[in-house]
Amino acid sequence: LSVYITMVKPFWRSKISATKNDGLTWYKDLGLHAFGEFSTAMIQANSVMEDQCQIESGPLTFNNSAVHGTFVGVYDGHGGPEASRFIADNIFPNLKKFATESGDISEEVMRNAFAETDEDFLTAVKKQWRKNPQMASVGSCCLAGVICNGLVYIANAGDSRAVLGRSERGGVRAVQLSVEHNANVESARQELWSMHPNDPNILVMKHRMWRVKGIIQVTKSIGDAYLKRAEFNREPLLPKYRVAEHFTEPILSADPSVTVTRLDQEDEFMIFASDGLWEHLSNQEAVDIVHSSPRQGVARRLLKAALKEAAKKREMRYSDLKEINPGVRRHFHDDITVIVVYLDPQMVQANGWASPLSIRGGY
């Protein structure tokens, strides 16, 4: 391992974007983080890439290198790329700020990082309101994971997903670590109804899908200012984004669901991905692909499996799907982001090592 680390130091010490393969695909087939290896890949379907992702490995506070680990973020934007890009720029520094104040990573630190990032974005929307009111309709799902001290903290606002691959009886079992907030998930609907008991139109069935106020499927997000502050629910924002009824309480929340899991010897890897992947692959299908594939390029293999399923559903060939231009391609599949994080049990037990790594993908 020490020889491998020496070989890759020139790459992982610098901050770079994931390699751009062509006009639609970004990837890093294999790299090192504090607790093992990782593989990441993204593919664009929208006219502009609305997903962002990042991997940060090293110190998790500004003043104590002993608190270190790996941060993984997947940000699935909607309405434009501004919110997901803002999260990629701000959420990790915010997390380090709160971890510095408390002295460690905790559930509260994760929640505070989400709240601060959302508040900062809404402030940016207010500053640009007159010149660029469209910013009020831009938002992003946010999935963040932190591996530290033998634990993995998963915070999620939206419908991206984190899944653990756990060794069991000769195979690997998929264990979902994140809680999703999508109006088509029963638990998300119940939560929203309980938060808005006096609003009979908080959820509306439209085109056989549940939507918040008949507009949006996710029930939690960062951004979407027009559904959080009434001051943005008016002209000059386009009518299609405006809610008919006046509201005083935020309709959407940025407060994530947070889970904390102790990692065991049997825990082999985690998959972090936007819902574009999970629309076409089940948790177990994705875990089986990772388990049975070489590590090099495994994230791209997951992308390819999802795209093959998307093509199959439309009764077309995978090769034909690949020729469709962005924008039109969104009718066949979403932007997709995948990060596979392998877990070396010995390194997890020893709490890894603190040499810095910072990778961004999506631009």
Side-chain angles (χ1 to χ4, degrees), residues 159-173:
D159 55 8
S160 296
R161 189 182 301 171
V163 175
L164 176 71
R166 177 169 288 166
S167 179
E168 195 174 83
R169 297 179 183 176
V172 173
R173 178 169 63 92

Side-chain angles (χ1 to χ4, degrees), residues 59-73:
L60 298 174
T61 70
F62 291 117
N63 62 357
N64 184 1
S65 61
V67 181
H68 61 269
T70 295
F71 172 91
V72 181

Side-chain angles (χ1 to χ4, degrees), residues 29 39-43 161 163 269-274 276-278 280-310 318 336-342:
D29 276 344
S39 178
T40 180
M42 310 174 74
I43 191 161
R161 189 182 301 171
V163 175
F269 56 83
M270 290 182 288
I271 305 170
F272 295 79
S274 57
L277 181 82
W278 308 113
H280 302 293
L281 297 179
S282 69
N283 293 356
Q284 192 61 49
E285 286 170 337
V287 161
D288 287 342
I289 289 170
V290 174
H291 179 62
S292 62
S293 300
R295 293 188 175 192
Q296 181 86 18
V298 71
R300 282 200 289 157
R301 290 186 183 89
L302 284 172
L303 282 188
K304 185 175 181 179
L307 295 182
K308 283 188 171 182
E309 283 299 312
Y318 168 67
I336 304 175
T337 296
V338 181
I339 302 174
V340 179
V341 177
Y342 290 98

Side-chain angles (χ1 to χ4, degrees), residues 127-193:
K127 289 179 179 178
Q128 300 184 43
W129 173 244
R130 290 298 173 187
K131 292 183 179 180
N132 185 17
Q134 175 265 347
M135 277 278 286
S137 65
V138 178
S140 180
C141 299
C142 184
L143 171 65
V146 176
I147 310 168
C148 182
N149 295 323
L151 301 172
V152 57
Y153 299 81
I154 302 291
N156 193 40
D159 55 8
S160 296
R161 189 182 301 171
V163 175
L164 176 71
R166 177 169 288 166
S167 179
E168 195 174 83
R169 297 179 183 176
V172 173
R173 178 169 63 92
V175 180
Q176 185 166 322
L177 299 179
S178 57
V179 177
E180 288 167 42
H181 310 104
N182 184 300
N184 294 292
V185 176
E186 174 67 24
S187 60
R189 290 199 300 276
Q190 293 296 337
E191 182 180 24
L192 206 59
W193 277 321

Side-chain angles (χ1 to χ4, degrees), residues 34-35 66-69 147-151 346-354:
F35 303 102
V67 181
H68 61 269
I147 310 168
C148 182
N149 295 323
L151 301 172
Q346 293 181 332
M347 296 177 76
V348 170
Q349 188 174 8
N351 203 29
W353 39 277

Side-chain angles (χ1 to χ4, degrees), residues 100-126:
T100 300
E101 292 174 0
S102 70
D104 209 342
I105 297 296
S106 66
E107 180 177 336
E108 183 180 12
V109 165
M110 303 291 283
R111 292 188 186 279
N112 287 341
F114 273 61
E116 182 99 336
T117 304
D118 187 53
E119 186 65 27
D120 290 347
F121 185 75
L122 297 188
T123 299
V125 170
K126 188 169 186 176

